[in-house]
Amino acid sequence: MAGSESRYGAFLEARERDGLRRDLTPVEAGDARTIRIGGEAYLNLASNDYLALRFHPALIERARAFAAEHGVGSGASRLVTGNLSLFAPIEAKIAALKQKQAALIMASGFQANAAVLQALLDRAVLGAEPLVFSDRFNHASMHFGCAAAGIREIRYRHGDAAHLGELLTRHRDASRPKFILTESVFSMDGDIAPLGEIGALARANNATLIADDAHATGILGEGGRGLSAEADVVIGTFSKALGGFGAYVACSPALRDYLINRCSGLIYSTALPPPVLGAIDAALDLLPSFELERTRVVDLALRFRLGARALGFDTGASTTQIVPLIAGSNHAALTLSQRLREAGFFATAIRPPTVPAGTARLRLAFTAAHRQADIDALLDVLDDRALPRTALG
Ligand SMILES: Cc1ncc(COP(=O)(O)O)c(C=O)c1O
């Protein structure tokens, strides 16, 4: 270990030098709008709590009630002793929301992508190595799941259905099962995948379409159902607009049965605890009534995008509540983050490998807790020619 430790130290030094070192900033939660650091309140622009449900009394109350009635832990994996009666009604609600016949709750979005993809892409079960086409900007957990299955992904250009089509044609091989993997709303860019075109390509090529609906669920689509109607399998998380924690797969009953028998992340991990299930359950009940909040978030993000672009900032292809401010170099993103911090705004610098080199950015996320005045104050701070920015694309 002693020898290895110096290697880890060298890794950290290189990260520091390249402006890539990551640290855990100690914060206190504040409320849905703000975050507290060292006793000071900052406007929180870094949270995925898009509907401001994290502090909603209905979620807290049901979490409390489920804990009081069922305990704070579930005791074991769902297959061993943890498949509490609480799961079935919640899974029915998710299946209905996603318009699929079945759903399966998992521990986290990362774990769901990693473990579900590993299971679905198992060549021993499929009878041949699958051809897996993925958007280059897919979340790390999707790439992780492919790697765990020993798959070499065929990556298409981000959001480029024509390129996907070309690759599908080039790799036409009827003997190998095909899968297409995409996010619906991309987590670091806030743009939307061309799901209609991708769905048509999937059908034309007999490919299974798997969509990660993490950043659309709750906030986009009719009643907040997300944007995954085209997908055969939907993976998503409760940790973003639903305010809590945990994840799900929505799919056919047969696939659900298969996952119960083959998905390591479900089989070998303790079931979600009852208070977490309580928060999920209450959030799912509230979703249909949050139309005003959804509209407000969209309006706030639009107001910011227009203002930022007028100031010469590159907000990429964002059309949703996630708006990047692309700074370019790692140090430029850090400087921008620091400048906003000094002015009372909390926005984390996102750097490679999370985003491609040269596109380091602040990833701003707007929520129902934000106010128009917050956006205007933020734009006032950004109205400074000395701040780093890339040329408008
Ligand atoms: C697209 C996407 N999928 C999955 C995840 C992971 O979800 P979770 O935070 O629930 O592990 C995230 C969040 O980081 C995400 O952005």
Side-chain angles (χ1 to χ4, degrees):
M1 183 67 193
S4 309
E5 196 118 338
S6 66
R7 295 274 178 173
Y8 303 141
F11 170 87
L12 287 174
E13 279 164 28
R15 287 269 149 147
E16 181 79 49
R17 192 182 55 238
D18 298 337
L20 285 173
R21 186 180 165 121
R22 296 167 184 207
D23 284 301
L24 295 171
T25 307
V27 303
E28 293 120 49
D31 51 36
R33 182 171 159 268
T34 60
I35 198 164
R36 298 186 77 80
I37 303 172
E40 296 287 329
Y42 296 82
L43 188 79
N44 191 353
L45 294 165
S47 167
N48 299 318
D49 180 22
Y50 306 125
L51 291 175
L53 284 178
R54 219 153 46 104
F55 287 87
H56 196 287
L59 273 71
I60 294 172
E61 185 40 45
R62 204 163 309 170
R64 209 175 259 142
F66 277 28
E69 199 175 333
H70 305 279
V72 294
S74 52
S77 145
R78 288 183 67 179
L79 282 120
V80 177
T81 193
N83 199 40
L84 294 166
S85 56
L86 302 171
F87 280 98
I90 301 177
E91 288 178 341
K93 288 179 193 176
I94 300 160
L97 182 73
K98 295 291 170 189
Q99 297 178 303
K100 297 282 177 240
Q101 282 182 286
L104 186 65
I105 291 180
M106 303 279 298
S108 77
F110 189 101
Q111 188 234 37
N113 274 328
V116 169
L117 292 180
Q118 182 193 27
L120 296 185
L121 302 176
D122 185 341
R123 75 188 72 183
V125 174
L126 294 170
E129 184 178 347
L131 289 163
V132 180
F133 301 86
S134 14
D135 188 293
R136 275 189 54 213
F137 285 9
N138 277 346
H139 192 259
S141 52
M142 298 180 95
H143 298 310
F144 193 95
C146 292
I151 298 297
R152 205 167 157 183
E153 298 165 66
I154 303 165
R155 296 192 185 186
Y156 59 91
R157 286 193 289 272
H158 172 57
D160 190 339
H163 190 219
L164 169 61
E166 277 167 38
L167 292 173
L168 280 160
T169 306
R170 199 182 307 160
H171 294 271
R172 209 176 270 286
D173 177 350
S175 66
R176 293 173 68 182
K178 297 184 190 64
F179 293 83
I180 301 172
L181 311 183
T182 185
E183 294 181 33
S184 53
V185 169
F186 284 86
S187 59
M188 294 299 141
D189 292 80
D191 56 343
I192 298 176
L195 287 157
E197 289 169 75
I198 294 177
L201 284 169
R203 284 188 295 279
N205 289 275
N206 197 22
T208 303
L209 174 55
I210 304 180
D212 181 334
D213 217 12
H215 294 279
T217 303
I219 197 85
L220 295 171
E222 192 198 332
R225 69 167 79 256
L227 298 177
S228 51
E230 294 283 340
D232 302 294
V233 179
V234 185
I235 298 180
T237 164
F238 302 114
S239 61
K240 308 203 190 293
L242 280 93
F245 184 71
Y248 59 85
V249 189
C251 55
S252 68
L255 216 65
R256 181 178 186 274
D257 285 347
Y258 170 68
L259 290 171
I260 290 170
N261 285 275
R262 174 64 184 85
C263 182
S264 57
L266 179 88
I267 299 168
Y268 301 112
S269 188
T270 297
L272 280 187
V276 171
L277 292 170
I280 293 170
D281 193 46
L284 288 168
D285 288 348
L286 283 176
L287 271 196
S289 65
F290 268 55
E291 222 43 66
L292 276 179
E293 284 79 356
R294 281 190 273 277
T295 308
R296 183 133 62 89
V297 174
V298 168
D299 289 348
L300 290 170
L302 178 64
R303 188 180 184 88
F304 176 76
R305 259 196 315 274
L306 292 176
R309 288 181 75 85
L311 294 173
F313 284 92
D314 181 358
T315 57
S318 159
T319 55
T320 67
Q321 76 281 3
I322 300 167
V323 186
L325 275 187
I326 302 173
S329 75
N330 304 330
H331 290 290
L334 289 168
T335 303
L336 197 51
S337 171
Q338 182 55 32
R339 177 69 194 89
L340 285 190
R341 181 85 68 91
E342 286 157 11
F345 298 90
F346 187 80
T348 312
I350 308 287
R351 294 156 287 160
T354 309
V355 293
T359 69
R361 65 195 64 187
L362 301 192
R363 174 207 184 261
L364 308 182
F366 296 98
T367 79
H370 292 145
R371 305 166 185 156
Q372 233 179 55
D374 294 331
I375 307 297
D376 296 342
L378 174 60
L379 289 168
D380 275 349
V381 178
L382 291 172
D383 188 5
D384 174 355
R385 295 312 305 176
L387 288 175
R389 67 197 77 192
T390 51
L392 253 183

